Amino acid sequence: MKITFAKPGQPARGTLVVLANDALKIGPLARGLLAKSGDLLARAAKTAGFKGAVAASLDIVAPAGLDQERLLVIGTGKAAPGTLDWQKIGGAIQAKIRSGATEVTIVAETADGTAAPEAAVEIALGLRLGAYRFDRYKTKKKPEEEGDASTLKVTIALAGDAQARKLWKAREAVADGVDIARDLVNEPPNVLDPAEFAARAAKLTALGVTIETLDEKAMKKLGMNALLGVAQGSAKPPRLVVMQWNGGKKGATPVAFVGKGVVFDTGGISIKPAQGMEDMKGDMAGAACVVGLMHALASRKAKVNAVGVIGLVENMPDGNAQRPGDIVTSMSGQTIEIINTDAEGRLVLADALWYTKQRFKPAFMVDLATLTGAIIIALGDHHAGLFSNCDQLAERLTAAGVSTGERVWRMPLGADYDKQIDSKFADMKNSAGRQGSSITAAQFLQRFVDGNDWAHLDIAGTGMAGPQNDLNRSWGPGWGVRLLDQLVSAHYER
Ligand code: BES
Ligand code: MN
Ligand code: ZN
């Protein structure tokens, strides 16, 4: 799909898209373009029962009196233009145009004649989010049936086209970041092993991101035995990738994002049931989000110093695999008794968080992890679990969630939960059983943040196989890129 912003002129012959409110009123520009069609819109709306509800559509083919092959009317309801969810409008347009249409002109103007460049670029972002699909491994493509948007040419018409083009650069960076995260989550685990994942992350060097990749040897030297213990049952060696984007003041304290990157989670010796195990290729959605986010920040040249750290391992059972009962010494020096080898994400993050804190002393650390099945039971796939030792960071994340639609819900932390992970034989154990298990997992992580401001997002529900809608048709939704880009842009750019 190619998106351009242009001054209103003569629209292409293909599809014309106009917006109508709940009184079926369209803007002055659209009225001019539809002048020769008489009362077509009103009659068609009546017949089809179209009442201009938000994101509802009225599709008129071969519209009498017009040069276009198709007139698509999208509802904007009764909301004031300033409060409209423009991404949703973009998604609704995308859902309609990708079958059949090639050249599309969208008149980005509401009934009262408002045509804000800010709204136009959100429409474009909605178009992009809805266009994504993962078809790399389909050898027999049926473009129309499967909704291929790749040949679409979309012009968004508005007087402020120059301003929209400028704003779009930053929003396109976010769209690209989401696509990257989605690709990573969707890739099969035989293709995306830790080394391949690291290689994909390393592509960010093209945008000016500094990349360091730690291999097994380097991690051994640092004492990352919690992470290494998870990896030792796999034929694929682990990696830890450190990404740095320095768009802020030289030497200014960075913000840090840490991702769980278990490229496949069999459970290890505490092996998972076969049913649905294929979904565990998505157990690296946290790491995928961090890569997508770093792409977005670098690509839009965010004025922030940001660090991304991802721990990449495969959790497999073999003769060398970690056992229940093993005790490992983490990089922090704290010892961990392994109760369940399927509670591996926290072991990976333990060393990744400790490393990030010691090396960067960041303003905050936000980690993302498909950490516990229990968070899906608690919140479904509509909110990620949020755990934090810092009220301000938690509030900022919650607000960013509301504004982007990637919502988070704060869960408790506390001494009673922390006590649950004390071990008979070591400093702590990696599993405390079923009760409050999302919380005890978060308590475990907190023991490795060394007092740093920190938030943990449990994205087991939101990070894969989430709800399908006009803004996401992908199994891997690329969850969190928009949320964290918004967090940074709202509070941490100079
Ligand atoms: N990757 C899983 C969590 C998960 C489950 C993510 C379902 C997405 C969908 C994690 O490594 C895991 O296995 N967690 C266990 C922990 C338990 C053994 C303490 C869980 O949640 O059951
Ligand atoms: Mn597991
Ligand atoms: Zn896992």
Side-chain angles (χ1 to χ4, degrees), residues 260 262 265-268 270 272 280 283 315 340-346 370-371:
K260 169 179 173 182
V262 176
D265 181 13
T266 64
S270 314
K272 288 180 181 298
M280 284 301 116
D283 209 17
N315 188 21
N340 188 321
T341 65
D342 197 11
E344 84 298 339
R346 66 200 72 183
T370 47
L371 204 63

Side-chain angles (χ1 to χ4, degrees), residues 454-478:
W454 154 80
H456 157 56
L457 298 174
D458 193 333
I459 62 168
T462 56
M464 63 173 101
Q468 303 279 300
N469 53 50
D470 284 348
L471 296 178
N472 181 55
R473 295 185 286 152
S474 169
W475 183 80

